[in-house]
Amino acid sequence: MELFGRRAETAVLDRLLDRAADRAGSGLVLWGEPGIGKTALLEYAVEAASDATVLRCRGTRMEAGLAFAALHELLWPVLDRLETLAVPQAAALRGALGMSRDPANRFLIGAAVLSLLSGLARERPVLVVVDDAQWVDEASAHCLGFVARRVATEPVAVLLTGHEDPASGPWEGLPTLEISGLADEDARRLVSAVVPGADATLVDRIVQAAGGNPLALHELPALDHETDGEATLSPSGNAVSVGPRLRRAFRARFEALKPSTRALLLLAAAQGRGDRHVVHRAGAGWGIDTATWDAALRSGLLRASGARLEFRHPLIPAAVYDGSPFSERQAAHRALAEALPRDATMERAWHLAAAADGPDEDVATLLQHAAEECLRRSAGSMAARTLCRAAELSPEPGDAARRLAAAARAAWHAGQADTARQVLEEAERLGGVQPVVRLSGGLRGILEFAYGMPERAHHYLAGDMAVVTEARRAVELGTVAVRAAWTAGRSDLQQESLHRLRAVDTDGDATVSGLMPALRNWWSCYDLSGEFPPPSPDLASDAVGRLGTVAWELLPPVPLAQVWGVEARLLDVLRVQAAQLRRRHELTALALVLAQIAVLDTAAGRWGAAEVAAAEGLRLAEEVGAAHLATQSRSCLGILAAARGDHRAVDEHTRGILRVSVPRGVRALTASAYWLRGRAALFDGRPQEALSDLLCLVESGHEASHATFALLAAVDTVEAAVQVGDGDVAESQVAMVQGWAQRSGATWARAAGHRLRALVQGGSAAEVSFRAALDVAGAGAQPFEYARTRLLYGEWLRRARRRADARTQLVAAAETFDRLDAGPLRGRALRELALTDRRGADPSTAAGLTVQELRVAQLAADRLTNREIAAQLLISPRTVGHHLANVYPKLGITSRAELARIDFDGDLRLS
């Protein structure tokens, strides 16, 4: 195949194929305008990969609404290989391809396709070719995108073409190559090859009109001949868009054919899947015979290969279909629907829908069945579109509203919140608010909670509890209503919703009824009346264990579970929920659950796993446009960044959180941002700055005021207050934690209460409290906080001149911080360890500074005040002054200005 002017592009393809042959597979998206030569480059790659297994498919407009249609075409030649897959993968893939009624799990389907390609690649390299990817159905696109991003160690190359830059969507993250027009000289060579002997004037006119588009360079000479040269240029003499001109050229060829041949081409264009047998059956009643088939294939517009039909270029079926009268298109779709087998529900439904010119309940019902099939195959977005079309064809407004409500739920589960909102509003317009609340299961409140303002969400949810018909759904909505109030930091609304939740009659549902005591008690954190007793560990643990069998809406937010100390089994439940949500492809809820998993993994010291879960949750939330949920993952990533001393990441995440949370009144998230910012300052040795942020959590009316987060952050608030000498703040915070420990019995609160009491006590009582904090049963389950207790205790022991005991605690703390990569606190522990060295003086320092004098001098050189140095080193400002008085004569200087010029990395001389 000779390609004019494509040397750079073919070199890219050659490298891609060579790397794939060396087990360094990759995907590549070729993109550019129609006719620019993308398909020709695909054909070049297929020819170049002569020793590879080639699997290919093409997206079509007709199949864009059929779940896994492209995947079916792609894998058809190797379906016998399904037997080589693991049983769950084979079952999922058979379900997706319509070969069984097994439930389709999108993640399992993607893994199955990847395994299938990997197995084929063990025999010879594999080239996957997807043309016109912009028309590939969404389910196939997500699957192929999943595969293309995971073939880096396989001899597999995935080539796709599309019209637009794939910066987002299913091909996001794949390498791209924009295909642009040919240079004028290459364009002239192509025209000369197409029209041998053409005069220079004609060639120049065609080149100017085509704008470097190879398809236009092929077709415009014929159009120019047909119109005596009047069609290639605009009246101004400039080139114009080639798309309309090419359609006109193809349409002119189509119009020149006999009526029976035109009818056959229209059937093929309307069928869209290239199934020759279906087109043949549909055309049998139209008098289409063998001669007509021969004429169609000779026209140069249509090609046949076995049972497959293919138009020479995607613009051809568009020109044929769009240029035909509606009555002819209508007849074609009806003939095709009649020709399909009875079990082809989705295809028949869409053909009949395309033929409908007014309300038709039979077709609407068939579309509804097709949507149910889409949902079974985890194709929620297609189900939503199908149900919307069913609503358009519904004669009765009530039926239309019912189908739109179902479409909104399908769109919500597919992560398309904007679509869900719009469809729900239309359903309410047709059927009224209250009926649609019942039909959608109170979706408006769930959408508002996930994407909008928590107080408004609470208003919807609290009211809609009484509208939905099922007690379980009422409990789910009530629980989210309480959660919305908690998120907004509105204790009054939380109490109101808690009373509504308590009033729901769940006697008919044993599962939910058994959970009600724990649900009510979990949310009683602001109850001062004693009406709602705190959850006992046994009751809470049992209830949490059963949450894996019910909806995600019943799960408590992790910070609430943490303050009650009942998170022990919650992580297992969340992982079960995540697996279920992955299977159902409910991306919005999955993003929420992943963020909560990340929080628990962080507390348990599994920081690597936490980072992975939070990053995935953030990606999913951003994909579905759930900025509110994205901030929850950002909060966890920010906590990790604070502990690691990554100031830039802390700033990025806190800004990202506050940009979303403050305008929407999401106080829980705003509080988390202030907390992680304060914690980062504390770990960095800036206690005054830390205290300023942390005290906002208890300041009534502040945008970050939130009782739950204030309680969790108290461990940092007290430490910062002690370092700056604010005893009143420290005492009030210690009392709050100890009061909560007495009320809840939570392990973390009892350990924190002892630790914080040690910080504000003096003498031997402090040691008793430190030992009590370390001895609380289960305290070690949170290794970072346990190591912080060891660090503080070690610092206290070192100041008490019990150096050997101090080393025991400090070494253990440093080891934990090192394992977690908590750099700032690891550095602090190691500096304290250096101070336990009995030699006292630093032998490497000719000036004879002690270790403590050196630390004071370095901090003073960094322009910290005596008070700031004292707070960081846990000594008094007077002691700092004493050390500096010793430092100056030893270094031969007289001021801080000179101290700033000392070379602390070298020989301690003035620079």
Side-chain angles (χ1 to χ4, degrees), residues 459-489:
H459 171 72
Y460 288 156
L461 292 159
D464 293 350
M465 288 174 63
V467 178
V468 295
T469 55
E470 296 181 2
R472 174 177 293 213
R473 189 57 183 167
V475 169
E476 291 167 358
L477 295 181
T479 303
V480 182
V482 181
R483 185 172 188 156
W486 175 86
T487 300

Side-chain angles (χ1 to χ4, degrees), residues 3 64 118 140 204 227 311 329 382 416 443 517 532-533 625 739 781 836 844:
L3 294 176
S118 179
S140 294
D204 288 343
T227 60
F311 285 94
R329 298 200 304 264
M382 292 181 191
Q416 297 175 331
L443 180 59
F532 301 101
T836 64
S844 67

Side-chain angles (χ1 to χ4, degrees), residues 678-827:
R679 175 173 272 214
L682 177 64
F683 295 162
D684 196 43
R686 295 175 280 122
Q688 186 62 64
E689 185 179 332
L691 191 61
S692 296
D693 278 324
L694 294 168
L695 286 178
C696 295
L697 277 62
V698 294
E699 182 182 332
S700 178
H702 194 278
E703 65 187 15
S705 175
H706 198 282
T708 302
F709 283 91
L711 189 57
L712 290 170
V715 292
D716 302 309
T717 308
V718 171
E719 187 173 336
V722 168
Q723 289 188 26
V724 301
D726 194 331
D728 291 341
V729 167
E731 283 290 353
S732 66
Q733 291 276 305
V734 172
M736 178 176 68
V737 172
Q738 290 186 321
W740 183 259
Q742 184 175 3
R743 180 183 176 191
S744 67
T747 297
W748 80 270
R750 290 187 290 121
H754 291 306
R755 176 171 113 197
L756 301 182
R757 177 55 61 190
L759 288 178
V760 300
Q761 286 176 320
S764 60
E767 181 169 21
V768 171
S769 294
F770 274 127
R771 293 303 320 173
L774 293 172
D775 291 341
V776 170
Q782 295 191 358
F784 182 68
E785 291 303 320
Y786 198 74
R788 287 181 69 186
T789 302
R790 284 186 176 276
L791 172 60
L792 292 166
Y793 184 27
E795 290 172 336
W796 183 88
L797 289 168
R798 197 269 307 163
R799 291 195 299 274
R801 301 185 182 278
R802 291 166 54 183
R803 292 173 173 166
D805 292 337
R807 288 187 67 84
T808 300
Q809 300 300 327
L810 294 170
V811 166
E815 288 175 349
T816 298
F817 295 140
D818 185 59
R819 176 175 63 81
L820 296 175
D821 193 26
L825 293 191
R826 176 182 177 274

Side-chain angles (χ1 to χ4, degrees), residues 467-738:
V467 178
V468 295
T469 55
E470 296 181 2
R472 174 177 293 213
R473 189 57 183 167
V475 169
E476 291 167 358
L477 295 181
T479 303
V480 182
V482 181
R483 185 172 188 156
W486 175 86
T487 300
R490 290 288 304 273
S491 59
D492 55 334
L493 296 181
Q494 185 170 329
Q495 287 295 98
E496 173 194 322
S497 297
L498 193 58
H499 281 284
R500 290 177 185 247
L501 184 62
R502 189 181 186 188
V504 177
D505 182 3
T506 59
D507 290 343
D509 190 326
T511 301
V512 175
S513 181
L515 291 170
M516 287 300 287
L519 287 175
R520 294 165 182 150
N521 297 342
W522 274 332
W523 289 106
S524 67
C525 47
Y526 300 140
D527 175 53
L528 302 178
S529 66
E531 181 179 0
F532 301 101
S536 69
D538 292 339
L539 171 63
S541 180
D542 177 65
V544 166
R546 281 183 281 159
L547 279 175
T549 65
V550 296
W552 67 269
E553 288 95 338
L554 296 182
L555 293 172
V558 164
L560 190 66
Q562 286 179 305
V563 297
W564 282 119
V566 297
E567 74 275 23
R569 293 186 63 188
L570 186 57
L571 182 59
D572 291 336
V573 172
L574 287 169
R575 285 180 171 148
V576 169
Q577 289 282 355
Q580 294 172 346
L581 294 168
R582 285 184 194 278
R583 185 172 63 250
R584 298 195 298 266
H585 204 64
E586 296 181 19
L587 302 183
T588 305
L590 179 58
L592 171 64
V593 170
L594 286 172
Q596 300 199 78
I597 287 174
V599 173
L600 290 180
D601 275 333
T602 299
R606 293 182 291 269
W607 287 11
E611 190 166 22
V612 169
E616 184 185 1
L618 178 59
R619 178 180 61 80
L620 287 175
E622 290 177 340
E623 277 184 12
V624 301
H628 177 175
L629 298 182
T631 58
Q632 297 190 33
S633 290
R634 284 192 177 279
S635 178
C636 182
L637 292 170
I639 288 291
L640 293 172
R644 290 169 173 164
D646 188 344
H647 302 142
R648 179 176 295 179
V650 169
D651 184 62
E652 175 190 342
H653 290 305
T654 53
R655 286 177 183 272
I657 293 169
L658 295 173
R659 190 164 50 244
V660 172
S661 65
V662 172
R664 298 184 183 182
V666 188
R667 276 191 169 143
L669 292 174
T670 302
S672 74
Y674 275 73
W675 179 19
L676 73 89
R677 196 164 63 188
R679 175 173 272 214
L682 177 64
F683 295 162
D684 196 43
R686 295 175 280 122
Q688 186 62 64
E689 185 179 332
L691 191 61
S692 296
D693 278 324
L694 294 168
L695 286 178
C696 295
L697 277 62
V698 294
E699 182 182 332
S700 178
H702 194 278
E703 65 187 15
S705 175
H706 198 282
T708 302
F709 283 91
L711 189 57
L712 290 170
V715 292
D716 302 309
T717 308
V718 171
E719 187 173 336
V722 168
Q723 289 188 26
V724 301
D726 194 331
D728 291 341
V729 167
E731 283 290 353
S732 66
Q733 291 276 305
V734 172
M736 178 176 68
V737 172
Q738 290 186 321

Side-chain angles (χ1 to χ4, degrees), residues 244-303:
R245 297 186 177 281
L246 291 174
R247 286 187 181 224
R248 179 177 174 183
F250 291 136
R251 183 68 191 172
R253 293 189 184 185
F254 173 74
E255 295 288 356
L257 299 172
K258 293 181 179 180
S260 59
T261 308
R262 293 201 303 269
L264 174 56
L265 291 173
L266 177 57
L267 283 172
Q271 200 272 333
R273 302 196 67 177
D275 190 325
R276 186 172 184 174
H277 296 311
V278 173
V279 175
H280 187 276
R281 288 195 297 271
W286 284 16
I288 293 175
D289 55 17
T290 302
T292 303
W293 277 96
D294 290 342
L297 297 175
R298 285 197 309 269
S299 71
L301 300 176
L302 187 68
R303 295 190 292 240

